[in-house]
Amino acid sequence: MDKIGKILNGVDIMIQKPKGTYDLFGENAEKVIYLKKIIEALMDKYNYKYFETPIFETSELFHRGVGETTDIVNKETYDFKDRGDRNLTLRPEGTAGIVRSFIENKLYTLSMPVKAWYFGPMFRYERPQAGRYREFRQFGVEAFGSNDPMMDAEVISIIVNFFKLLGLKGIKVNINSLGDKESRENYRTALLDYFKPYINDLCEDCRNRYEKNPLRILDCKVDSDKDIMKNAPKLTDYLNEESKEHLARVKTYLDSMNIDYVVNPGIVRGLDYYTHTVFEVEANIKGFGSQNVLGAGGRYNHLVENIGGPSVPGVGFAIGIERLMLALEAENINLTEEKNIDVYAFSQGLNDNSYLMNIVNMIRLNGFNVEMDYLNRNMKNNFKKADKLKAKYIIIIGSTEVENNILTVKNNETLEEFKIKKEEIIDFLDSKLGDINEN
Ligand code: AMP
């Protein structure tokens, strides 16, 4: 490993990135930019609007928003005090911040629905492994103001169509219903009765969950293989008529869009705020295990109220960008766009490069991609560099060019050479490259 630290008082200090984080550059950075472009275009199709909320929020927001009994809030948040003694938390997920923003900016006074999308880093103190980081990126959507199952189905269709657009195959959509408040309350009672005789067989976390939120027991990673878990009452059996009807309509709408799904009663999600529809979208990649879940979400009809706003229903999802990139890689789907350099420009034998700077600036402003020589390379090395960049045209500037207000321009493929007047260079490049660049 390269040492990038410095010697301080004779002690070698090596500065490395924090555990569970990574540097985004090169090909992966290109992929993220490309994905974001696809997402932007997709979101326009559905009329969702871009949101950016702070990367840190008051800790209280996540306690009320994500839920006191979730692993995310109990074990995984990055909490800190700022210099003004405020309790702040790096956001572990995107929904709570968007909901806060929706309330604080009184967006509930707008015509409903309000449909938002976001893209950005999230932070969770988890055990890092492939597809699991402490800083990772999510793309997510939130749709406020409609309790209609059409909205649940639209949100699910966005994930499915996004993955289809990327060419991902073998995607499985698992859906489930957690029911409304009444159904959940009935189910909670049933779970308390069921687990009571087994309480000592459960892990310590589950014993706590029993007290605070027994539904979470079903999401336990430690006890998940035990028979008592497999035979536990199923929420589907406790849904009231309204909740059953909601799920049935979501299914009908998914069918109408030809979206395949499986109703999977095991999906309860790691966040407290869900009501009615919850879903997880999985890839099927060998060796991925639970990292196969690329995106997940659901309906949260009481979250806006819980965070201090009016009663407004919502539904949304989040997709992990790193996990998506791993899945794309596993299926050999190449995301990078070839970005060509139109022009490579350099000077020879000049002390003052003002003319070069002026030309390069002008060409860039006119829409061409330009790279130039900053290292005073000799002629041979400049040509080599232009080849390496696959530049289509080369502009060479020497004292004759400056004196006569002209440019020497070379087609880097045919090696044909042109003498072009400075004020005619844009027309020249337009005539040669305009059509190619528009593709
Ligand atoms: P969640 O917010 O927990 O519902 O997660 C939604 C999606 O975010 C998951 O399906 C993953 O793709 C991604 N995700 C969650 N936690 C992590 C993590 N620690 N590292 C990378 N991706 C994650």
Side-chain angles (χ1 to χ4, degrees):
M1 189 177 300
D2 289 341
K3 291 192 174 181
I4 53 168
K6 52 188 171 184
I7 308 285
L8 244 188
N9 298 331
V11 182
D12 196 1
I13 302 173
M14 208 162 46
I15 303 172
Q16 295 179 338
K17 61 186 179 326
K19 191 175 171 189
T21 64
Y22 68 94
D23 299 313
L24 183 64
F25 62 95
E27 207 177 295
N28 280 336
E30 294 288 322
K31 285 183 187 173
V32 169
I33 289 178
Y34 187 64
L35 273 177
K36 205 171 169 184
K37 269 194 208 165
I38 295 184
I39 291 168
E40 270 178 42
L42 184 71
M43 289 293 82
D44 284 344
K45 307 256 178 315
Y46 288 84
N47 196 28
Y48 282 63
K49 306 292 183 200
Y50 183 64
F51 271 60
E52 239 173 64
T53 57
I55 284 179
F56 55 88
E57 297 268 3
T58 52
S59 304
E60 171 71 9
L61 173 68
F62 300 111
H63 285 265
R64 269 206 263 167
V66 181
E68 302 279 2
T69 60
T70 58
D71 276 358
I72 293 180
V73 162
N74 273 331
K75 300 179 186 165
E76 295 172 3
T77 50
Y78 280 89
D79 301 313
F80 63 98
K81 269 191 195 293
D82 73 0
R83 290 169 200 271
D85 216 28
R86 299 173 188 90
N87 289 315
L88 299 170
T89 296
L90 295 183
R91 63 183 187 194
E93 55 96 62
T95 306
I98 301 269
V99 171
R100 182 210 38 76
S101 165
F102 176 81
I103 300 167
E104 198 166 337
N105 295 296
K106 298 194 170 52
L107 302 186
Y108 49 81
T109 58
L110 303 177
S111 162
M112 291 292 132
V114 168
K115 304 201 287 186
W117 72 276
Y118 62 86
F119 185 107
M122 307 294 161
F123 305 84
R124 292 183 197 174
Y125 191 80
E126 291 192 275
R127 197 166 56 80
Q129 50 185 288
R132 183 172 292 159
Y133 305 91
R134 289 182 174 173
E135 181 184 21
F136 58 98
R137 288 164 183 74
Q138 281 184 339
F139 151 50
V141 309
E142 315 294 347
F144 297 99
S146 168
N147 188 37
D148 196 294
M150 279 194 289
M151 201 53 115
D152 310 44
E154 172 176 288
V155 162
I156 295 171
S157 79
I158 295 175
I159 303 198
V160 173
N161 290 344
F162 177 43
F163 291 166
K164 239 184 223 165
L165 205 66
L166 293 172
L168 264 185
K169 294 188 190 75
I171 292 299
K172 188 172 156 200
V173 180
N174 292 291
I175 69 168
N176 189 25
S177 171
L178 300 183
D180 59 7
K181 248 186 185 159
E182 183 189 83
S183 309
R184 278 181 75 151
E185 207 37 59
N186 291 341
Y187 184 52
R188 186 190 142 90
T189 311
L191 283 178
L192 288 175
D193 290 347
Y194 173 79
F195 280 117
K196 201 170 183 183
Y198 304 114
I199 187 87
N200 292 326
D201 300 330
L202 297 173
C203 71
E204 193 188 326
D205 277 346
C206 280
R207 291 201 290 275
N208 277 328
R209 291 174 182 131
Y210 183 87
E211 302 296 333
K212 291 184 182 157
N213 186 354
L215 206 77
R216 285 269 77 76
I217 297 176
L218 303 173
D219 216 14
C220 177
K221 285 158 198 136
V222 182
D223 289 332
S224 59
D225 289 335
K226 294 183 181 159
D227 281 345
I228 36 168
M229 299 296 258
K230 289 176 189 152
N231 300 327
K234 302 270 177 289
L235 181 56
T236 354
D237 298 329
Y238 291 82
L239 295 181
N240 59 17
E241 281 314 308
E242 204 190 318
S243 302
K244 277 186 198 158
E245 171 65 15
H246 192 98
L247 178 62
R249 293 274 293 281
V250 173
K251 287 164 60 180
T252 309
Y253 294 146
L254 290 176
D255 291 337
S256 77
M257 292 187 281
N258 301 317
I259 291 173
D260 291 331
Y261 58 86
V262 181
V263 177
N264 181 344
I267 307 280
V268 291
R269 308 291 309 126
L271 305 129
D272 271 355
Y273 49 60
Y274 290 117
T275 47
H276 289 293
T277 320
V278 285
F279 53 89
E280 287 185 357
V281 181
E282 278 179 86
N284 183 18
I285 298 160
K286 269 199 189 127
F288 255 44
S290 63
Q291 261 63 267
N292 261 318
V293 180
L294 303 183
R299 178 167 278 288
Y300 45 82
N301 284 353
H302 307 291
L303 182 60
V304 179
E305 233 175 321
N306 288 351
I307 294 183
S311 170
V312 178
V315 53
F317 70 70
I319 292 173
I321 293 300
E322 290 75 10
R323 240 175 248 187
L324 173 60
M325 294 208 316
L326 285 172
L328 290 166
E329 216 168 275
E331 292 197 14
N332 286 321
I333 296 170
N334 186 8
L335 281 186
T336 44
E337 274 178 308
E338 184 137 1
K339 283 191 191 143
N340 285 327
I341 292 290
D342 297 316
V343 174
Y344 179 76
F346 63 92
S347 72
Q348 289 290 284
L350 299 178
N351 287 326
D352 177 359
N353 277 313
S354 303
Y355 191 73
L356 173 69
M357 295 294 280
N358 174 272
I359 302 279
V360 166
N361 187 50
M362 180 178 75
I363 302 177
R364 284 176 175 155
L365 283 176
N366 278 281
F368 296 98
N369 300 343
V370 185
E371 182 55 295
M372 58 183 272
D373 175 31
Y374 308 89
L375 302 178
N376 297 312
R377 291 181 169 91
N378 64 26
M379 193 74 99
K380 188 173 148 218
N381 287 337
N382 268 317
F383 281 120
K384 263 196 200 163
K385 182 75 181 172
D387 281 347
K388 206 167 172 197
L389 292 167
K390 295 190 185 140
K392 291 176 202 129
Y393 280 84
I394 299 175
I395 292 181
I396 307 158
I397 294 166
S399 52
T400 323
E401 280 79 5
V402 177
E403 275 157 30
N404 299 308
N405 230 14
I406 57 161
L407 303 164
T408 298
V409 183
K410 221 172 173 162
N411 179 318
N412 199 26
E413 201 180 324
T414 62
L415 301 182
E416 197 179 353
E417 200 173 290
F418 307 84
K419 297 285 179 195
I420 309 285
K421 281 189 195 148
K422 181 186 161 187
E423 56 279 6
E424 288 173 6
I425 184 65
I426 300 304
D427 285 345
F428 173 84
L429 292 173
D430 266 338
S431 70
K432 301 287 185 190
L433 297 171
D435 284 350
I436 307 174
N437 283 357
E438 267 158 33
N439 285 335

